[in-house]
């Protein structure tokens, strides 16, 4: 390629890069604006809570990835005079542009994976516990405690709370005693029982029926029990390697929590030996204590499909 053709190519390249950079910025702005509009259009605090908890981090990451693309395109127009000297500089500039774009994307991933969830948690906490207003009377509603709300939950709902798969908030109008019940994801995972329909189906037993060898698959029998209707369900899972425990059995101090009437919120932070950290929040000491007694990290992290 002669110099004249090469320089003409670079001129066209710069135009394309500027165009793509502008398009990437427009896309990032549209993603951000669309999210904000949809969030603002949610009718109530609960709807905003559900929307933000499922979409906010994903959308903000998408915004930053689009910005990373814009950085890549803009960097591919830098040092134009140097790049015109030799085509080698053109490829060096592409490599440097990839590095800058990737750096922005990677930093954004780290921020929204490890730092931002704490900020989002505060936002979700505010949305969840902001006093509700009865749309019929305009009265400010009161959030019932864990002990008080049981009178307004049926047995299935109470069973879901007992296994920490679902958490219910019950708001009551003090004047009319009209209640509003909101459903939130619990601290521990549980499957939906195909008999009663509640999320109370938990793994209670595992047994290797056929050990795996180097040449043949083994079989693992898993048994699930519904704490509400008593449903027992078994599932066979193929295993290709010998199963070994990734975590040591947790040893809990007996009754580590003491009663304190001033406690409003209890936070529990679990550190695994893999470096993972999990945070849980409870409304009272009794609920946190029950959680610690039933806590099983292996069952918590297991993803099960039935």
């Amino acid at each position: 390629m002669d110099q004249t053709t090469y320089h003409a190519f670079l001129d066209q390249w710069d135009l394309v890069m500027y165009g793509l950079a502008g398009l990437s910025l427009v896309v990032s702005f549209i993603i951000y604006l669309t999210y904000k509009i949809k969030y603002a259009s949610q009718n109530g605090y609960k709807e905003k809570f559900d929307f933000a908890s499922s979409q906010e981090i994903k959308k903000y990451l998408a915004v930053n990835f689009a910005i990373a693309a814009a950085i890549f395109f803009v960097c591919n127009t830098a040092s134009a005079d140097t790049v015109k000297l030799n085509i080698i500089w053109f490829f060096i500039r592409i490599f440097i542009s990839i590095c800058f774009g990737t750096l922005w994307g990677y930093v954004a991933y780290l921020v929204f994976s490890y730092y931002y969830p704490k900020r989002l948690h505060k936002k979700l906490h505010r949305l969840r516990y902001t006093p509700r207003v009865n749309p019929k009377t305009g009265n400010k509603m009161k959030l019932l405690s864990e002990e008080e709300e049981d009178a307004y939950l049926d047995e299935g709902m109470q069973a879901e709370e007992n296994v920490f798969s679902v958490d219910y908030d019950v708001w009551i109008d003090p004047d009319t005693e009209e209640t509003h019940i909101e459903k939130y994801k619990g601290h521990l995972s549980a499957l939906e029982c195909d008999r009663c329909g509640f999320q109370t189906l938990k793994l209670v037993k595992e047994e290797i029926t056929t050990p795996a060898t180097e040449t043949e698959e083994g079989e693992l029998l898993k048994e699930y029990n519904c704490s509400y209707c008593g449903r027992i369900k078994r599932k066979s899972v193929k295993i290709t390697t010998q199963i070994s425990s990734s975590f040591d059995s947790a040893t809990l101090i007996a009754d580590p929590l003491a009663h304190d009437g001033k406690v409003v919120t209890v936070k529990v932070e679990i550190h695994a030996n893999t470096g993972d950290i999990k945070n849980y929040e409870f409304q009272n000491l009794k609920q946190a204590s029950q959680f610690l007694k039933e806590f099983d990290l292996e069952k918590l992290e297991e993803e099960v499909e039935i």
Side-chain angles (χ1 to χ4, degrees):
M1 181 184 298
D2 58 52
Q3 285 294 100
T4 302
T5 304
Y6 177 54
H7 290 172
F9 165 75
L10 289 178
D11 292 337
Q12 292 298 318
W13 175 269
D14 288 348
L15 291 176
V16 172
M17 291 298 104
Y18 280 124
L20 291 176
L23 179 61
S24 297
L25 291 176
V26 170
V27 168
S28 68
F29 178 74
I30 290 175
I31 294 174
Y32 178 79
L33 184 62
T34 301
Y35 171 76
K36 286 297 186 180
I37 293 175
K38 288 184 177 180
Y39 175 80
S41 66
Q42 302 301 309
N43 294 326
Y45 291 114
K46 176 62 166 66
E47 290 74 15
K48 282 182 167 61
F49 179 99
D50 292 339
F51 186 75
S53 61
S54 63
Q55 297 294 321
E56 184 155 308
I57 289 180
K58 295 178 182 178
K59 296 302 181 183
Y60 285 179
L61 268 177
V63 168
N64 279 274
F65 288 159
I67 294 176
I71 291 174
F72 166 77
F73 294 131
V74 169
C75 287
N76 265 296
T77 63
S79 303
D81 293 337
T82 301
V83 173
K84 287 181 179 180
L85 298 177
N86 194 304
I87 195 172
I88 294 178
W89 288 107
F90 175 77
F91 293 106
I92 292 176
R93 186 174 66 178
I94 289 179
F95 174 75
I96 294 175
S97 301
I98 292 175
C99 291
F100 277 108
T102 302
L103 179 62
W104 182 282
Y106 182 65
V107 171
Y109 171 79
L110 293 178
V111 168
F112 286 99
S113 294
Y114 300 102
Y115 168 72
Y116 191 77
K118 294 182 179 179
R119 293 190 58 185
L120 179 60
H121 175 75
K122 293 180 180 179
K123 176 180 179 178
L124 296 178
H125 188 276
R126 184 176 66 254
L127 290 172
R128 180 171 177 176
Y129 296 110
T130 297
R132 307 306 193 237
V133 176
N134 189 335
K136 297 180 181 178
T137 64
N139 294 333
K140 184 176 291 187
M141 305 182 78
K142 173 189 174 184
L143 177 64
L144 298 182
S145 66
E146 290 293 324
E147 292 76 13
E148 295 172 329
E149 71 182 18
D150 287 345
Y152 299 90
L153 302 178
D154 60 36
E155 293 182 357
M157 292 177 175
Q158 293 182 42
E160 288 179 313
E161 285 207 323
N162 289 337
V163 298
F164 300 102
S165 63
V166 174
D167 195 14
Y168 289 97
D169 285 352
V170 180
W171 296 86
I172 187 169
D173 187 329
D175 294 337
T176 64
E177 294 190 354
E178 182 177 350
T179 59
H180 175 64
I181 300 177
E182 296 178 351
K183 182 178 180 179
Y184 294 90
K185 184 178 179 181
H187 307 291
L188 297 179
S189 59
L191 302 175
E192 181 178 319
C193 178
D194 53 358
R195 176 183 292 173
C196 65
F198 291 106
Q199 288 180 252
T200 48
L201 194 66
K202 294 183 67 178
L203 179 67
V204 295
K205 181 181 179 182
E206 289 182 324
E207 181 181 357
I208 299 177
T209 55
T210 305
T213 65
E214 294 182 359
T215 57
E216 296 183 1
E217 291 183 335
E219 185 178 67
L220 175 67
L221 181 64
K222 297 187 177 185
E223 183 176 304
Y224 301 86
N225 177 256
C226 177
S227 60
Y228 175 61
C229 69
R231 169 87 158 104
I232 296 177
K233 192 164 189 175
R234 296 179 177 86
K235 175 182 173 65
S236 295
V237 179
K238 297 294 183 181
I239 52 178
T240 56
T241 58
Q242 185 178 0
I243 296 179
S244 59
S245 175
S246 299
F247 300 95
D248 295 328
S249 298
T251 302
L252 300 177
I253 301 174
D255 193 18
L257 300 173
H259 175 70
D260 185 350
K262 297 182 180 180
V263 173
V264 176
T265 301
V266 179
K267 294 184 178 180
V268 178
E269 188 172 276
I270 306 295
H271 293 253
N273 57 16
T274 59
D276 294 333
I277 300 176
K278 295 184 179 295
N279 296 281
Y280 305 95
E281 186 172 308
F282 305 92
Q283 295 181 21
N284 54 53
L285 293 171
K286 180 180 178 181
Q287 188 183 39
S289 180
Q290 184 180 355
F291 168 81
L292 290 173
K293 290 178 182 179
E294 299 184 4
F295 181 78
D296 188 326
L297 187 58
E298 292 180 352
K299 293 179 181 179
L300 170 64
E301 296 195 339
E302 186 174 37
E303 295 289 336
V304 182
E305 295 182 1
I306 294 186

